[in-house]
Structures are given as structure tokens and as C-alpha cells.
Amino acid sequence: MNFALVVEWLIKGVVLVLILLGGFAYLTYYERKALARIQVRIGPNRAGPWGLLQPIADAIKLIFKEEPTPARADKLLFILAPIVTLVPALVITAVVPWGPTMTVFGHKLTLYIADINVGVLYIMSVASISVYGIVLAGWSSNNKYAMMGGLRSTAQMVSYEIALSLAFISAILLAGTMRMTDIVEAQKSIWFVLLQPVGTAIFLIATLAEVNRPPFDMPEAEQELTGGYHTEYSGMKFALLFMAEYDKMIAICLIGATLFFGGFREFWFLANTIFSVDRMPWLGPIYIFIKIVILLFGMIWVRATFPRIRYDRLMAFGWKVLLPLSLAVVFITAVGIILAEQVNPLWMWGIPVVSLLVGVFAIAMIDRELRRKDYARR
Amino acid sequence: MDLTLILFIVLAITAIATAIGLLVSRNAVYAALFLVLNFATVAVFYLLLGAPFIAMAQVTVYAGAIMVLFLFVIMLLGAEKLPKGQALPWQRPLAIVLTVVLLAEAGILLFQRLSITTALSNPEAALNTEGAVRGLGAMLFSQYLLPFEVTSVLLLVAMIGVIVLTKENKA
């Protein structure tokens, strides 16, 4: 074990955590500003120029807030739950590369913490663990509504995890590997979003449910559950839960950008120019930052646009629409790859065409179901 | 002492401690959480043995899916506090007999392994030749095709069974 290597890992890990924590603070600012603009308001503008110091003011307020623990709450788990929620949100990004390998002062620097050959599987397993914090927060609060919020989120996350994993599989199939850096390299000529648009759409929808964002924010539906699993939390413990939610947003956008939008590779119109990542490796982190900001805007936009859907319909959508659709997408992708390999490379374009047809069919079926007379009464 | 051995000892102690914690804790939620920790420790054992795929599958399936459902049921039923209630009369003798059998089995296997040193020589070598995941997939779809197919049919049957059982009566 090389000492310098350990120090390098340590520095990269600390930098990544700091980026995520700072990113959380300014993501809240970004979200509030974007939401305000969409709703024709101004948004935070008091603290600092353009309200830029607002996140810091929020943090100071939360630090000095009183932190009561509810009576007969399970003290240990009540304190542990925010930590258990936050840690998966931070460690999930460890396998995602945010830049190519570059040479700095004669030292080869890789811009990822770990490049393991089961990278996508690692993401899946960390995502599947991340539900514990929310369940425990709900249960340990000794509060009916918090508990119901926790249970709802368990059911929701377990259900949408399947569609999410199958969306991962379509990217794995196209790349032929689970190693994240190889998946990025496989998208050198064409992004997977073009080869598998329906898979990408499933990924984006399922991640909304996975990180409990509107319109799937059942666990914290205010009108029904006051505050869901974090009803009883305040002060820094609440801040940790909040931080976990926003860091998950950043992480999921980073993963989505890597799996379907070319990762740290340049945009297609910059390929083979001086701005290509091959020529200027330090542009990699900038490209992925731009992609993350765009994807995050999509999430905020969805929050501003769509009303929250009812819980049973959420589950029905997950199980009856997303699951069969994602299975079909995996099947189409696999068949398309085999045909492209065995018969003619042009069959590769059969994948997006057939997937889109199936997607349109699914939307038509949903539309038909919604138009049924007795739908509203069920 | 090399790093792997230190890691192994720490992990072994964690695994045993969490297993004991699972048995003695009177709160079902804590017992379930101890089991999660135990599964996670076992996953790290797989990593030490050079089987990252199995390790990740262990975390995803056992710690991530099955135990979440356990916790879900425990919390939904409000069954977290176990009653003091009496044990089944035949449980204790049966447990003792089964423990003795298990320990004897483990001991025999251990001594067999000690005598045949070749058996320990890198069992994962075959899987690592063309990448662990690729190798595993090839094995599943060639040598172990029948068990694989049977398992998938079993899962399908279970899925259909659940749908049939929970289908509401149209009457």
C-alpha cells in the first residue's frame, strides 16, 4: 500500500464531500431562485448581493435552533437516523468519474475515488440502503404521522428501485460493462440517451421517486402527514435530513449524466475540436458540472409544474407502468445489440425506434385508463 | 501481520457481535438492524475473497431489499416489543441438537480443508479470467443453466401467486 496513494485518496474524498456539502447549500439557493422565477417572484434577495449569502444565513439559523427530542422517542435511533440518511448520499458518488485521467506535475491524477468493475452495482446497492435512514427517522420519532411518512417512503423507494435498476441495465447492456469510466468511454461517439431514450426517461422518473422529489414526495406530503418522517426533527438534525435529500439530487444527476448523457465527455458539437476532453482534460469536470446543473433544473422545473399525485396511483404507476415498460426496454435493447452484432450495425437504430414506439404505446394506454368514466372514483 | 488478516479479525468480531446482538436484543427493530449490519459485514468478507459482484448483490438483495421489508412489517404491525412469553417446549432441546450438528459439520470441514491445502488455492481464479461479472454470467448461462431457469420459474410463480392472492373480489 503506497502512502502517497492513500493521501491522494484522502484528498479526493475530502474534496468530493466538500463539493457535495457546498453544492447542497447552493442547490437550495438555486432551487429557490428558479422556483421563484417560474412563479414570477424574485426569490431570496436580502442576504448579500442577489441573496447569495442566503444559504449561510439559513445554516446559522439552523445551528442555533433548539433541538427537542420527543417524549418516549427512541433516543439512539433518533440521533442516528439523520446520519444514516446522509452517509449513503455522500458515498454513492465515490465510483462516478468526474474527469479523465490527467497528468499534473508529472503525476498521473485520476478524477474518481474508486474505479471498480461493478461500479453500477455499487450504486444500486448504496441506493437500496439509503432507505433505512428515512424509515428509522419515522419510527424513532414516536409520532404517527412521522411513522406513516417513513412507511410510505419505504414502499415507494422499494417499488421504484426495480424500474431504476432495469434502467441501469439498459445502459450496462449498451456499454457492455459495469465500470463507470468504460461506460463514459463507450459514449464517445453517441450518448446513450439517443440510443435508449425511453430507458433514460424511466431513469429520470424513477430517480424522482427515489429521492422523494415532487411530484412523488409522498413521505412528506404536508397536507396529509404534516412533515412526514422529519416532523419531529429540528435544528442541525433536520439540516442533515435536508442535506441528504439535496445531496441525493446532486448524486443522482451526476449518475444520470454519466450513464446516459456522456459523463465528462464534451458535448457532441465540440467533438474533435480544441475543446474536446482528449485535448483539454481539465474541461471534463466543467462539462459534467454543466450537465448536472441542466439536469437539476429539470428536477426543479418538474417540481414547479406538476401537482403531487395520489399515493395509490403512485404505486400503480410504478408497478403497472414503469416495471413492464422497463422490462420491455431491457428486452428491446438486448435484442437490438444482438442483431447489430450478428446481422447489421444499422440494427442499433432499431433500439430507439422500437423503444419509442413502446413508450408511446404505454402513454396511450395510460391516457385510455385516465379517460375511463369510473377512474376518478377509484 | 498483514493488513488483510487484521481486517479479517476486525470483521469477524463485528460479524459475531452483531449476530449475538440480533439474538439477545428484545426489540425487534434493533434485532433487524443488527441483522443488516451482519449482512453488510458478510458482504465485506466477499470483497476480501475477491468476489465484488457477490458482495454487492448481498448488500442489494439482503440488506437493501429483504431487510427493508422485514422492518416494514415489524413497524406496520407495531410488533417491535417482544413479549416475555414462554418458549415452545421442544425448542430448546432441538436447538441444542442442531447446534451440535452444525459445529461438528464445521469442524469436520475445517480439518478436511487443513489437510488438503490445494482446495484453498484461489477458488475465484476461474471467475477472474475474463472479468468477474462476465465470468459469472457465462457460468450462469452455461454450466448452471438449469438451476438458473428453475429459480426464475420459481420467482415467476411467487409473483403470480402474490397477484392472485391480493386481487380484490369483483363481486
Side-chain angles (χ1 to χ4, degrees):
Chain A
M1 183 90 44
N2 192 341
F3 181 69
L5 206 64
V6 174
V7 172
E8 192 194 317
W9 275 346
L10 210 61
I11 292 172
K12 279 194 289 196
V14 170
V15 166
L16 190 63
V17 168
L18 286 180
I19 288 174
L20 280 174
L21 297 188
F24 148 68
Y26 277 89
L27 177 56
T28 60
Y29 173 79
Y30 176 42
E31 174 168 36
R32 289 170 69 177
K33 272 288 184 193
L35 273 181
R37 285 295 166 193
I38 292 171
Q39 295 162 354
V40 206
R41 294 184 285 120
I42 294 171
N45 67 343
R46 293 288 119 180
W50 307 292
L52 268 176
L53 296 179
Q54 187 65 40
I56 298 164
D58 287 341
I60 293 171
K61 176 205 151 198
L62 282 171
I63 290 171
F64 288 107
K65 229 174 149 180
E66 190 191 354
E67 290 190 46
T69 309
R72 295 186 58 208
D74 195 311
K75 286 235 170 50
L76 175 66
L77 288 183
F78 189 73
I79 295 168
L80 216 56
I83 303 168
V84 175
T85 319
L86 182 60
V87 169
L90 295 179
V91 299
I92 197 168
T93 50
V95 294
V96 186
W98 19 286
T101 309
M102 47 183 170
T103 318
V104 182
F105 305 122
H107 176 72
K108 247 177 97 175
L109 183 68
T110 52
L111 288 182
Y112 46 77
I113 293 175
D115 188 30
I116 53 176
N117 64 352
V118 288
V120 180
L121 207 60
Y122 169 85
I123 290 171
M124 252 142 77
S125 56
V126 176
S128 71
I129 292 181
S130 67
V131 66
Y132 279 109
I134 291 171
V135 182
L136 292 179
W139 179 76
S140 63
S141 303
N142 188 29
N143 174 328
K144 242 182 253 170
Y145 295 112
M147 165 117 162
M148 282 163 81
L151 288 179
R152 275 186 175 193
S153 80
T154 325
Q156 175 183 332
M157 287 168 87
V158 169
S159 309
Y160 277 74
E161 217 162 74
I162 303 169
L164 187 65
S165 313
L166 288 168
F168 279 157
I169 287 176
S170 61
I172 295 172
L173 283 175
L174 287 170
T177 172
M178 285 202 198
R179 192 187 289 272
M180 293 300 263
T181 48
D182 292 350
I183 291 179
V184 173
E185 285 308 313
Q187 297 178 71
K188 202 169 179 176
S189 53
I190 183 161
W191 291 2
F192 287 165
V193 63
L194 295 175
L195 281 180
Q196 191 41 274
V198 182
T200 312
I202 292 170
F203 174 86
L204 293 176
I205 295 171
T207 50
L208 279 183
E210 196 72 5
V211 301
N212 296 327
R213 288 285 300 173
F216 301 134
D217 56 341
M218 288 308 128
E220 37 199 307
E222 294 91 352
Q223 299 89 335
E224 304 156 29
L225 297 171
T226 61
Y229 61 90
H230 54 54
T231 307
E232 298 288 354
Y233 283 91
S234 70
M236 274 322 271
K237 290 203 212 76
F238 172 74
L240 284 183
L241 289 172
F242 204 59
M243 195 187 282
E245 194 183 320
Y246 280 80
D247 277 341
K248 273 185 208 162
M249 275 171 73
I250 299 176
I252 225 82
C253 287
L254 179 62
I255 293 162
T258 306
L259 286 182
F260 295 105
F261 296 95
F264 56 77
R265 307 272 343 167
E266 64 280 347
F267 293 91
W268 68 93
F269 51 82
L270 291 175
N272 300 323
T273 63
I274 186 97
F275 297 108
S276 160
V277 171
D278 298 322
R279 299 270 183 83
M280 290 194 193
W282 53 269
L283 279 174
I286 297 174
Y287 286 137
I288 200 151
F289 177 75
I290 295 171
K291 285 170 189 173
I292 291 173
V293 168
I294 293 171
L295 284 176
L296 281 174
F297 181 75
M299 281 179 132
I300 295 166
W301 194 5
V302 164
R303 174 178 176 179
T305 315
F306 291 108
R308 184 182 295 132
I309 71 172
R310 218 173 67 191
Y311 185 66
D312 55 331
R313 289 180 189 166
L314 170 90
M315 295 305 267
F317 181 65
W319 285 106
K320 294 181 189 166
V321 180
L322 279 190
L323 176 61
L325 187 60
S326 52
L327 278 172
V329 159
V330 167
F331 179 72
I332 292 165
T333 313
V335 171
I337 288 169
I338 291 290
L339 283 178
E341 272 176 9
Q342 308 282 338
V343 186
N344 188 342
L346 279 178
W347 276 103
M348 208 57 153
W349 291 104
I351 300 175
V353 171
V354 179
S355 308
L356 279 176
L357 284 179
V358 173
V360 168
F361 175 73
I363 292 171
M365 291 310 279
I366 298 172
D367 187 59
R368 209 183 114 209
E369 180 71 20
L370 287 177
R371 277 170 201 285
R372 271 170 53 170
K373 281 231 172 61
D374 61 338
Y375 183 75
R377 272 183 276 125
R378 277 193 290 141
Chain B
M1 215 146 89
D2 68 343
L3 200 66
T4 323
L5 190 63
I6 301 172
L7 204 58
F8 173 78
I9 291 171
V10 172
L11 282 173
I13 292 171
T14 319
I16 293 170
T18 48
I20 292 173
L22 158 73
L23 289 177
V24 298
S25 67
R26 299 304 298 172
N27 186 327
V29 171
Y30 277 87
L33 291 178
F34 274 124
L35 192 53
V36 173
L37 276 182
N38 193 313
F39 284 151
T41 324
V42 173
V44 183
F45 275 131
Y46 288 137
L47 275 185
L48 278 183
L49 288 172
F53 182 84
I54 307 285
M56 292 303 153
Q58 162 92 4
V59 174
T60 315
V61 175
Y62 285 94
I66 294 180
M67 286 318 293
V68 168
L69 289 182
F70 267 49
L71 265 185
F72 191 84
V73 171
I74 291 171
M75 289 176 180
L76 205 63
L77 296 180
E80 53 260 21
K81 286 278 180 292
L82 295 181
K84 275 280 179 209
Q86 64 268 48
L88 300 168
W90 43 266
Q91 202 175 29
R92 193 153 292 183
L94 186 68
I96 291 171
V97 171
L98 287 178
T99 313
V100 170
V101 170
L102 180 70
L103 283 178
E105 208 176 2
I108 290 167
L109 276 178
L110 190 69
F111 284 114
Q112 264 184 355
R113 279 291 166 88
L114 282 182
S115 57
I116 317 166
T117 44
T118 48
L120 276 173
S121 66
N122 236 357
E124 77 272 20
L127 291 181
N128 267 340
T129 46
E130 33 180 348
V133 182
R134 209 174 279 267
L136 191 75
M139 289 284 239
L140 273 184
F141 283 100
S142 58
Q143 200 174 342
Y144 299 104
L145 183 64
L146 187 68
F148 184 78
E149 297 282 329
V150 169
T151 314
S152 67
V153 169
L154 188 70
L155 288 175
L156 189 67
V157 168
M159 210 157 88
I160 293 171
V162 168
I163 291 171
V164 169
L165 281 178
T166 55
K167 207 169 162 62
E168 52 188 302
N169 270 328
K170 282 278 156 65

